[in-house]
């Protein structure tokens, strides 16, 4: 608790600057943009890796807090309506006390008029969870506040099935390596179908990320997924919303998709 208070009171600025790019998550069944994920970028064109490489134990908390506020404030000026969701990546190991550390997020959302249900927090299984019970408390607090949560990069990194069993987030995002080439891979089709079945039984929705080809889109739609993210639709745009492309295959009916999937 004390560490959290010290982090909140620390007035030292970050030793680097950053901004956010926005990458759309589309609802194919409706032909609309469901939301946007906020991705870290440098103010001078640096990629996320270069910025994240400057994050260490001394500034992790401040960076996590600053990312949330920056994403919300930018989205508040860019988003077209009050239904579009904003997905924010957060670092579970940077949250000391969930109820205290969410205050800056709540204040930012209030300033721009964002309903809590519009905000989704993503945590990744690529970041080792040093205290699973602590992450459970974070998710419980976020749900109490009306936010939704997502487990990112599902199928890669640390113990994805154990995390799903422990947390039951509102969404899981399939890792791109699971879906790369799925149209011609019976093994990947079987694995993804199993994940979708598990998710449905747990009441968890599935987002397929990293979709790059129409063949992947067709296979994943036939498997029952309707929320997608990837370069097939758009590339991230820095401090702006990119134009979104809905490919011709997205207009296929469910019956046609199922037939093409088993053909």
């Amino acid at each position: 608790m004390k560490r959290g208070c010290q982090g909140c009171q620390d007035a030292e600025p970050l030793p680097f600057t950053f901004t956010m790019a926005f990458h759309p998550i589309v609802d194919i069944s409706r032909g609309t943009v469901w939301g946007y994920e906020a991705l870290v970028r440098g103010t001078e064109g640096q990629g996320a890796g270069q910025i994240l490489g400057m994050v260490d134990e001394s500034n992790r908390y401040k960076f996590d807090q600053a990312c949330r506020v920056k994403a919300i404030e930018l989205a508040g000026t860019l988003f077209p309506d009050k239904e579009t969701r904003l997905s924010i990546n957060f670092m579970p190991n940077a949250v000391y006390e969930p109820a205290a550390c969410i205050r800056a997020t709540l204040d930012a959302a209030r300033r721009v008029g964002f309903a809590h249900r519009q905000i989704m927090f993503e945590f990744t299984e690529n970041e080792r969870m040093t205290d699973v019970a602590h992450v459970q408390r974070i998710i419980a607090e976020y749900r109490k506040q009306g936010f939704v949560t997502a487990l990112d990069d599902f199928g890669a990194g640390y113990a994805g099935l154990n995390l799903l069993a422990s947390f039951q987030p509102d969404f899981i995002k399939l890792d791109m390596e699971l879906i790369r080439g799925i149209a011609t891979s019976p093994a990947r089709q079987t694995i993804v179908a199993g994940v979708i079945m598990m998710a449905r039984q747990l009441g968890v929705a599935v987002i397929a990320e990293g979709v790059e080809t129409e063949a992947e889109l067709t296979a994943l739609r036939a498997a029952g997924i309707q929320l997608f993210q990837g370069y097939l639709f758009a590339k991230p745009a820095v401090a702006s919303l990119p134009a979104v492309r809905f490919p011709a295959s997205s207009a296929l009916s469910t019956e046609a998709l199922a037939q093409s999937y088993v053909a």
Side-chain angles (χ1 to χ4, degrees):
M1 179 71 170
K2 289 182 180 179
R3 291 185 66 197
C5 294
Q6 291 170 357
C8 292
Q9 294 169 2
D10 182 6
E12 287 296 318
L14 286 168
F16 54 88
T17 59
F18 68 91
T19 186
M20 291 288 176
F22 292 92
H23 200 207
I25 301 169
V26 303
D27 184 335
I28 283 295
S29 65
R30 296 176 180 271
T32 60
V33 174
W34 181 86
Y36 293 87
E37 180 180 359
L39 303 167
V40 174
R41 294 291 186 270
T43 54
E44 298 179 359
Q46 306 97 314
Q50 190 170 345
I51 299 301
L52 293 173
M54 292 186 279
V55 178
D56 57 29
E57 187 61 31
S58 69
N59 59 32
R60 188 180 309 277
Y61 173 85
K62 184 172 290 293
F63 176 72
D64 184 68
Q65 291 287 303
C67 282
R68 298 162 183 241
V69 173
K70 176 72 75 174
I72 292 170
E73 289 180 343
L74 279 174
T77 65
L78 295 171
F79 282 15
D81 55 52
K82 299 300 183 182
E83 297 302 318
T84 305
R85 281 81 165 182
L86 169 65
S87 185
I88 301 172
N89 293 279
F90 79 98
M91 299 175 171
N93 297 332
V95 177
Y96 302 124
E97 172 54 44
C101 293
I102 197 66
R103 289 173 187 163
T105 303
L106 296 174
D107 289 344
R110 195 158 37 241
R111 284 196 302 273
V112 302
F114 255 45
H116 293 184
R117 62 181 173 77
Q118 284 181 262
I119 299 177
M120 178 169 76
F121 284 105
E122 296 187 27
F123 60 100
T124 177
E125 64 166 299
N126 283 320
E127 180 180 0
R128 187 181 294 278
M129 304 295 175
T130 57
D131 185 345
V132 171
H134 179 57
V135 180
Q136 288 175 319
R137 290 193 293 274
I138 295 171
I139 292 175
E141 179 63 30
Y142 287 4
R143 283 179 171 160
K144 177 182 175 182
Q145 295 289 348
F147 302 114
V148 296
T149 58
L151 176 55
D152 194 13
D153 301 317
F154 187 81
Y158 300 109
L161 289 175
N162 286 337
L163 292 177
L164 181 60
S166 297
F167 303 139
Q168 289 99 63
D170 300 286
F171 296 85
I172 57 174
K173 297 181 76 175
L174 296 180
D175 184 72
M176 66 178 65
E177 291 303 319
L178 262 183
I179 66 174
R180 189 63 68 244
I182 189 173
T184 57
S185 172
R188 281 180 167 77
Q189 293 168 10
T190 299
I191 292 168
V192 168
V195 170
I196 293 170
M197 180 180 68
M198 283 191 304
R200 283 175 176 164
Q201 291 176 344
L202 292 170
V204 177
V206 177
I207 300 172
E209 64 179 344
V211 179
E212 294 185 351
T213 70
E214 292 198 34
E216 290 169 353
L217 173 62
T218 298
L220 291 161
R221 283 199 67 201
I225 297 176
Q226 70 179 47
L227 295 176
F228 294 88
Q229 185 176 1
Y231 283 5
L232 179 62
F233 311 100
K235 291 185 177 181
V238 177
S240 61
L241 303 183
V244 179
R245 168 183 175 264
F246 287 91
S249 60
S250 66
L252 292 175
S253 67
T254 302
E255 293 78 9
L257 284 163
Q259 291 172 3
S260 67
Y261 189 63
V262 299

